[in-house]
Amino acid sequence: MTMCHTEVNGIKIAFDIRGSGPPLILIMGYRLNSRAWPLASRCSIGPSPPVSQDLSMKRLVYVINGPNLNLLGKRQPAIYGHETLADVEAACRRVATERKLELKFHQSNREYEIIDWIHEARETAAGIAINPAAFTHTSVAILDALNAFDGPVFEIHISNVHKREAFRHHSYVSSRADGVIAGFGTQGYTLALQRLAHLIDETAAKKDKGGSATDLGS
Ligand code: DQA
């Protein structure tokens, strides 16, 4: 093992620079995941991160849909409209292309799958737009998963939940969300994506000017 040492912002970093594969990066004795790449790339030793991984970390966003949203267009159209989830996905993909975002679009009726996607996003994504549907009003587990995600989170509801039954007025997710869109119909999804794109662009611009690239919250 060939270890090189350096220090970034007072943090001692050691690299194993054997061979041609990615370096083993140790920070204060811990082996880190891909989140260490931006830090590693600022060091003067070790290979640069693969470009595709770096780009996708900056521009990948998740759109996550909860239970019963697979029935969009058929389910209570007076409340949720006539558009299907496929229509919503197509609209999101149009915005993603315009704003140069990479998009993962998911729906599940199972709470654990939604939690697993949020965990996956933790490793790879810049932001999350989520319509947790009925889990909004019940799921501490989804709140906990979102609390473990560092980037911006936007909560979407097609209907105005505050105009509806009292049990829909409380959201576990809102205490984590950076913004909530309710009652804008399916347009809420593209509005949330536009906001995510804006925050990501702003962060990239700050990084280009040499500022901190870690704060996507403002
Ligand atoms: C919803 C509102 C929730 O109360 C409901 O359980 C849904 C959809 C909305 O998009 O308006 O399934 O999240």
Side-chain angles (χ1 to χ4, degrees), residues 75 80 131 133-134 137 157-159 161 164 168:
R75 166 200 185 204
Y80 299 114
N131 183 347
H137 318 297
H157 299 289
I158 297 166
S159 64
V161 281
R164 300 180 63 192
R168 294 185 204 276

